Amino acid sequence: MGEFKVHRVRFFDYMPSGIRCMAFNSKADRLALARLNGSVEIFNFSNNYFQEKVIPGSDSRSIEAICWVGCDRLFTAGLNGEVVEYDLERLCPKYTLDAFGGPIWTAACNSAETHFAFGCEDGSVKLFEILPDKIQFERNLDRQKGRILSLSWHKSGTLIAAGSLDVIRVFDVKSGHSVQRILVDRGPAGTRNKDCVVWNVAFLSDYTIVSGDSAGKVQLWDANKGTLIKTHLVSKWDVLSLSVSENEDSIVAGTSEGTVIQFQLLSPTIGDAETQWIRTRTFKHHTHDVRAVTETKTAVVSGGLDTQLVICPLMDKVEVKSSESVLRKVIFPHRSLVSCAKKPSLLLFQFPDQLELWRLGGTDTVGKPGESLPVTRKPEKLLQLKRKGDDHICCSTISECGHWIAYSTVSSIRLYQLQCDNNNISITKVSKLPKVLRSAHQLQFSADSSKLFVASEQATIHVISLSRSECKHVHTFKPKSGSSAPVHLLAASADGQWLTSANRHCEINVYNLKKLTHHCMVPVYNSLPSAMAIHPETSNLLMAHADQQVFEFSIVDKQYTDWSRKLQKEGLHRCRSKWHTPITHITFNPSASSQVMLHDTHMFCIIDQRLPLVDLQAQFYSQLTPKDMSETDRPSKNNAFKMCKKYQIVLGSLTLILTLYFTALFPWPLLHVNLLEDDWLVVVERPLIDIHSQLPAPVRQKKFGT
């Protein structure tokens, strides 16, 4: 199968931002979450929990609440006092409104989706009417003393529960007056001198109010009488988040300790018709504050300061050993943040606020498989390029020759020319860009670095010709279907003839760069493409989708290849079901044209298209096993599918030799895998321990014996 020398890169200091709030849209089966850096992410739960869209953050935007309206309208509100509606096609804010109440701490939409309520710093609850193309201020409810930290509408739309310091108020929407004032117990005697912060409230249809507070209590109140029904002391620390299931038979609470507690409406004894709220499950998948929780039909979803999105299945509601029964932890984006210039061995790392350019180290030593090689040339940080303005970087790329760098925010595109002379590096900004370049969802240089392909916010692709003297607009490609869906993937052929694009409507278009025409469209498959690449010799397009399916399409013949049809008929090995993150990158082995390399966050595999596909139920052998067999038995164990989940761990080493004749261990998540020249394999890893070390200290929990 082959032997590679491996660069193990662990100096990409990518740090995900913590999760602040989330909202699940049961109609569209999508989850929207907001992070502490102001970015918004949308996950498609019906498409293998794929990260479908990312709206970059901004230094001027802080998000405290996020809400869906219908299937395709998304709103956020934050401490800058502004309400934002997003354009989910262009992936940017559509418009911004000032609520004129100071910082906004909470927001809620009524069940009829006709009005928003916003809780503000000045103690007011502001009502906005939801119109087809915007929202409009309607009126204020009675202003109260202290900021409004949590809101919840009753299903009838006539009452609103509002939580603040030490008190829960019930407002009549029609009159705007407070009709009920409920004092919240501050907790044990030692904490009575501290305010009790009502972080969350939920208004049930039977006029029960559920509250979570800073004293660690989940309490149930009678909204009509203003009396306490029951108290559940679940933590010594804050209960920061609450969520009620759609049919109101389950409540989920997240705490500062990192625990998530579920309560269910059950009868205490068998055969008893009377029901009550009973604590049933405790989940411990977080290390820090759980700032957001929600419950779908089959899972409890949570997120917080430890940056990970946890999807924990409810085993009584899913089929055992199905894809829904898997515990999922999403930490890294479902797209690549690393670009590679193969010839000069350069890596470009994308951060929200800057780009970093590194030159890989090297060694002059020759070793044996599995050996760690000493580093004779250390990796070198050549450039740190900070973005301009408040908007975060949404995409970036570097040319194959390493002489061009481009990046985009939601407001502008910037192009730079690099000159590297031994240890000296100079960078020049291209000041005059074509007027058609405003912002981009994806950027890609051609293989010869003579062109830049820009996937614009209008779902078109601009072809830009590059030279030392000028930057010229050549052509604009438009999808034949007329789709306005944003393009999230680009792939160009090595010979400069073909360009492919994939958009959020699962469409893959092929363009002829020589004739500047639309060549064909790949048959639409009902799962989003997560990675694609064009073979440098055959010009076949290899595509991986969010549901882990792999296809090969002949661009010349405009049809799927025989290998692809056979693969779909026979399927990949059953071990494919263990892949729980999407494939994010595809490349080809230049020294063996039949070998395709692809990877996700936890493994990379090689598919040799010359070898027979393995039977679905066959034993998946280590490649060390066929090597030790006789010549007659070896072919029966050899197959096209080689998966690398393990290689020898050598701490502190940059390089080692990896041979695919043995099962090899990826101890840390993979952010990028690519082949350089001379059989060098670059593997960009991000140890989770490095991420955890940068998090704030968790709340102190007393353990037995300490």
Side-chain angles (χ1 to χ4, degrees), residues 433-479:
L433 295 178
K435 293 182 179 179
V436 295
L437 300 184
R438 297 177 182 176
S439 67
H441 292 150
Q442 194 70 18
L443 297 166
Q444 176 79 43
F445 286 101
S446 60
D448 62 359
S449 305
S450 65
K451 293 182 178 65
L452 173 64
F453 308 115
V454 179
S456 74
E457 58 183 6
Q458 287 85 18
T460 58
I461 300 173
H462 303 303
V463 181
I464 309 299
S465 176
L466 303 176
S467 66
R468 291 181 179 271
S469 58
E470 65 176 347
C471 177
K472 183 180 177 182
H473 175 245
V474 177
H475 188 72
T476 296
F477 291 116
K478 297 181 180 180

Side-chain angles (χ1 to χ4, degrees), residues 559-577:
Q559 64 179 1
Y560 288 118
T561 64
D562 293 337
W563 181 86
S564 181
R565 297 179 192 276
K566 186 177 181 181
L567 178 65
Q568 292 306 309
K569 183 179 179 180
E570 299 183 11
L572 291 172
H573 193 267
R574 66 175 185 269
C575 70
R576 178 183 62 84
S577 62

Side-chain angles (χ1 to χ4, degrees), residues 410-437:
V410 296
S411 57
S412 65
I413 296 176
R414 296 184 182 270
L415 178 65
Y416 296 87
Q417 190 172 4
L418 293 177
Q419 293 291 336
C420 295
D421 182 16
N422 296 327
N423 293 328
N424 298 322
I425 182 170
S426 63
I427 181 170
T428 305
K429 178 188 173 184
V430 179
S431 57
K432 293 184 179 180
L433 295 178
K435 293 182 179 179
V436 295
L437 300 184

Side-chain angles (χ1 to χ4, degrees), residues 333-351:
H334 292 169
R335 69 190 195 285
S336 181
L337 299 175
V338 181
S339 301
C340 180
K342 297 181 181 180
K343 294 179 182 178
S345 298
L346 300 178
L347 291 179
L348 182 69
F349 299 144
Q350 177 183 319
F351 298 88

Side-chain angles (χ1 to χ4, degrees), residues 120-125 141-148 162 164 167-171 176-181:
C120 301
E121 175 76 17
D122 64 358
S124 65
V125 176
L141 304 186
D142 285 351
R143 181 175 295 183
Q144 308 298 317
K145 183 180 179 181
R147 60 176 67 124
I148 305 296
S164 55
V167 67
I168 300 171
R169 291 182 175 86
V170 180
F171 291 92
H177 300 314
S178 174
V179 295
Q180 194 65 259
R181 183 173 181 269

